[in-house]
Amino acid sequence: MIHRKTTFVSILCLTLLWSVAVPGAVPPGHAAIASAHPLATRAGQQILEQGGNAFDAAVAISAALAVVEPQSSGLGGGGFFLLHIADSGREVFIDAREVAPAAATADMYLDKNGDPLRGASTSGPLAAGIPGQPAGLAYLAQHYGRLPLKTSLAPAIRYAEEGVAVNKRMLSGLRFRRKAFDRWPAFGKVFYPDGETPALGTMIRQKDLANTLRRLATGGFAGFYKGETGRLLVAGARASGGIWSAEDLAGYTVVEREPVSAKVGNMRVVSSPPPSSGGIALINMLNILDGADLASLDSATKKHMTIEAMRRAFRDRAEYLGDPDYVAVPVERLLSPLYAAGQRVSIRSDRATPSDALPGIWPAGAKGDQTTHFSIIDSEGNRVAATLSVNFFFGSGFMVPGTGVILNNEMDDFSIKPGAPNGFELLGAEANAIEPGKRPLSSMMPTFLESDRGIAILGTPGGSRIITMVLLATMAWSEGADAEAMVSLKRFHHQFYPDQVLYEEGAFSDEEIHALEQRGHRLKKARRAYGNMNVVTWDFRTGEVEAATDPRGISEGRVY
Ligand code: GLY
């Protein structure tokens, strides 16, 4: 769903000249929000109307999503916020990713034979990293917002008290997590109120979560990580097999990082650095394709080249990427156009490269729309791209009694054993092995695109497929697509292992399927459409801002 509004640039001649000379120098004059749920978008709008900026709106939207889209993100999870501060032009990456607890060990999810224990890294409190989202919200409000947390969290508290209707996306998550209802009564009591999977439209009230949000609103960081909430979290997690301590919670820290950025063709890409793998993979794939003269190729060859770029970027993801505070990630090399040129010459235009022909680690041996993304621009030109997650639908399925907080299962994003695929069939190596205090490698990648044409703010949920969804939308924007076209386009994906091209119905024509199979690609049609991309754009030439939400989702973009 898309909404647009045109800003008629100031009548002042000087301003006009300035705006022509420096695209984007004059603020857009309108705000735009695209999020996964209409109530979250409304929360952001209310905060802007109360004098908040895009960063306050991001706090309000994140907290609202924790209540109205709890299958995707929440206070028990974490995420990344990419900010553009209009006054200074500065870009900042706020890393509120979960961390492994101090008692975590590299082999904690392996049996005595060294084989992965089924479900250990995905269900229950042992699967949960120390949450980062509440700290991220407190940090954003304190360092970048204008309004107190009490104001920005008010809509979320109201939604939790009044209740939110079960929609089709929440219902999918509840069906997926049906067993958690039997195992963990706190979760069951809230989300299966009559002891059954609820019908569409059933109102879900979250009183404990409202109180937890209130303590965060009044106490900030300490209101969640210490005091009553902190005590309940540690006791509740430990009582059901978790290994958290009070020190783990009190010691959690948000990290401000430099985003990764690069000029590719006429476009500047600003995206997520490690512990996200997304920004590096995106720039690497764009660099590979930049020298391939895509405009001169027929559509099947263009898609073949894109698939080969995906394959190579995911190979490197598996080998090199991890938490930069623990491992030396060769960022400069992976972002270098020269490195990409070497990868490009290894691509044959007439043959798929089998993944096992590339040097790499090998498998010893869901997927999804869990996670959430929203994009915001305010009338002053401040921007936020944020991707938040509890990993699988409803994270670990475990709600800490008395808190309403559903714990993530983000520990599964670590490489629990080199070469053992995780829940997204992603491989990993030592760089992403479990260590106390370490952040698991992520595919979440809030991103900005900039050119003389304007700006795009984008991202999506979808596990490993996030990276290729953002690549395809970026390529489309660089070729002139608007926000609606970016969220709507049909998707295809290759992640090195398994060696197959997953595609949505309609992503390839019959001729393209034939041409790709002739080259040796193994194609697999996705059982259903995937992703839930939310994009905001600002067109410097027309002054128009647009907010577009994915037609696969339930929301609509708003311009104010
Ligand atoms: N939990 C999904 C990701 O961070 O990639």
Side-chain angles (χ1 to χ4, degrees):
M1 190 77 68
I2 188 162
H3 286 262
R4 303 164 197 254
K5 200 167 272 181
T6 302
T7 300
F8 294 104
V9 177
S10 163
I11 39 161
L12 280 177
C13 196
L14 199 62
T15 311
L16 189 58
L17 284 174
W18 170 242
S19 72
V20 170
V22 185
V26 174
H30 289 287
I33 300 175
S35 91
H37 198 292
L39 290 175
T41 301
R42 197 176 307 156
Q45 177 192 2
Q46 282 167 6
I47 291 306
L48 292 177
E49 286 167 357
Q50 288 173 43
N53 58 17
F55 314 120
D56 297 303
V59 172
I61 293 170
S62 305
L65 287 167
V67 177
V68 302
E69 201 200 23
Q71 70 276 17
S72 299
S73 71
L75 298 188
F80 301 137
F81 300 85
L82 181 62
L83 315 183
H84 171 90
I85 298 122
D87 273 354
S88 59
R90 196 161 72 93
E91 276 136 4
V92 185
F93 181 79
I94 307 291
D95 173 353
R97 180 77 162 156
E98 298 87 340
V99 300
T105 57
D107 59 359
M108 64 189 279
Y109 300 118
L110 303 181
D111 65 18
K112 57 182 185 333
N113 301 318
D115 294 322
L117 284 160
R118 204 175 145 74
S121 62
T122 53
S123 288
L126 190 63
I130 304 301
Q133 182 166 317
L137 301 189
Y139 189 92
L140 265 180
Q142 188 185 348
H143 294 272
Y144 295 99
R146 291 181 189 143
L147 301 179
L149 271 178
K150 265 191 192 154
T151 307
S152 350
L153 298 187
I157 293 170
R158 198 173 63 251
Y159 297 153
E161 285 283 0
E162 291 174 1
V164 55
V166 173
N167 58 41
K168 62 180 184 178
R169 292 181 84 89
M170 195 194 287
L171 191 58
S172 302
L174 289 171
R175 290 194 176 120
F176 174 79
R177 272 296 177 201
R178 180 65 183 76
K179 282 194 189 138
F181 162 61
D182 302 322
R183 288 183 72 184
W184 296 301
F187 179 70
K189 232 167 96 183
V190 173
F191 287 101
Y192 303 79
D194 300 321
E196 297 293 335
T197 305
L200 282 174
T202 305
M203 293 302 280
I204 300 291
R205 292 187 176 77
Q206 302 176 68
K207 298 266 183 212
D208 286 341
L209 184 59
N211 288 330
T212 298
L213 281 162
R214 278 194 191 95
R215 290 192 288 271
L216 176 63
T218 48
F221 177 92
F224 184 88
Y225 291 85
K226 299 177 180 176
E228 185 179 350
T229 306
R231 272 194 302 279
L232 286 168
L233 289 172
V234 172
R238 293 187 80 90
S240 290
I243 53 172
W244 290 8
S245 70
E247 291 72 33
D248 285 327
L249 284 177
Y252 181 85
T253 45
V254 164
V255 183
E256 270 203 24
R257 301 185 192 275
E258 179 98 5
V260 289
S261 63
K263 190 104 200 291
V264 187
N266 293 327
M267 179 174 58
R268 181 166 175 264
V269 180
V270 183
S271 191
S272 306
S276 168
S277 55
I280 287 182
L282 175 65
I283 292 170
N284 176 236
M285 291 184 290
L286 291 169
N287 279 336
I288 294 173
L289 296 171
D290 188 43
D293 195 12
L294 293 186
S296 70
L297 303 178
D298 63 84
S299 70
T301 308
K302 181 175 166 182
K303 285 175 175 168
H304 162 74
M305 295 299 291
T306 307
I307 292 162
E308 291 301 323
M310 292 172 177
R311 184 197 307 277
R312 283 156 178 78
F314 272 93
R315 191 216 80 88
D316 285 359
R317 179 196 196 278
E319 176 149 1
Y320 298 120
L321 294 185
D323 181 343
D325 298 334
Y326 283 71
V327 292
V329 180
V331 176
E332 218 173 294
R333 169 149 64 98
L334 297 174
L335 294 183
S336 143
L338 212 61
Y339 179 69
Q343 292 169 298
R344 190 163 54 244
V345 295
S346 74
I347 301 176
R348 283 180 57 166
S349 62
D350 63 336
R351 292 291 322 147
T353 311
S355 287
D356 59 10
L358 294 175
I361 46 166
W362 282 100
K367 322 345 93 180
D369 304 335
Q370 314 89 332
T371 304
T372 195
H373 174 87
F374 62 85
S375 296
I376 314 175
I377 192 164
D378 68 19
S379 58
E380 297 160 39
N382 295 304
R383 298 177 227 153
V384 180
T387 313
L388 309 170
S389 185
V390 284
N391 203 23
F392 287 15
F393 275 140
F394 290 105
S396 66
F398 178 77
M399 179 185 283
V400 182
T403 66
V405 175
I406 300 165
L407 300 189
N408 67 84
N409 61 354
E410 221 71 67
M411 292 294 284
D412 190 61
D413 276 345
F414 279 116
S415 167
I416 62 171
K417 174 181 175 172
N422 76 355
F424 296 104
E425 296 184 283
L426 284 166
L427 297 178
E430 279 309 312
N432 188 32
I434 302 172
E435 290 183 60
K438 191 175 176 184
R439 285 157 149 85
L441 185 60
S442 175
S443 301
M444 296 187 290
M445 50 181 303
T447 297
F448 300 146
L449 308 174
E450 302 173 355
S451 75
D452 288 350
R453 177 188 162 205
I455 280 161
I457 305 167
L458 70 155
T460 179
S464 54
R465 298 177 206 166
I466 292 173
I467 296 173
T468 52
M469 286 188 259
V470 173
L471 171 70
L472 297 177
T474 298
M475 291 169 71
W477 189 77
S478 77
E479 291 164 8
D482 65 7
E484 187 170 27
M486 290 164 79
V487 298
S488 306
L489 54 88
K490 300 291 182 188
R491 295 161 178 159
F492 57 93
H493 171 79
H494 195 296
Q495 62 177 52
F496 176 62
Y497 171 83
D499 191 349
Q500 69 184 18
V501 183
L502 186 86
Y503 68 99
E504 283 186 327
E505 171 102 56
F508 301 133
S509 66
D510 290 347
E511 294 74 37
E512 287 169 346
I513 288 176
H514 180 69
L516 290 170
E517 284 176 345
Q518 284 279 315
R519 285 173 164 94
H521 290 289
R522 195 153 63 86
L523 303 186
K524 181 178 171 195
K525 194 183 326 173
R527 268 182 295 151
R528 57 185 177 86
Y530 59 85
N532 196 9
M533 182 172 281
N534 289 309
V535 174
V536 163
T537 55
W538 175 20
D539 188 321
F540 293 154
R541 286 168 301 193
T542 62
E544 204 171 68
V545 289
E546 292 179 17
T549 54
D550 203 311
R552 300 157 185 85
I554 58 157
S555 194
E556 54 184 49
R558 287 276 168 216
V559 175
Y560 309 101

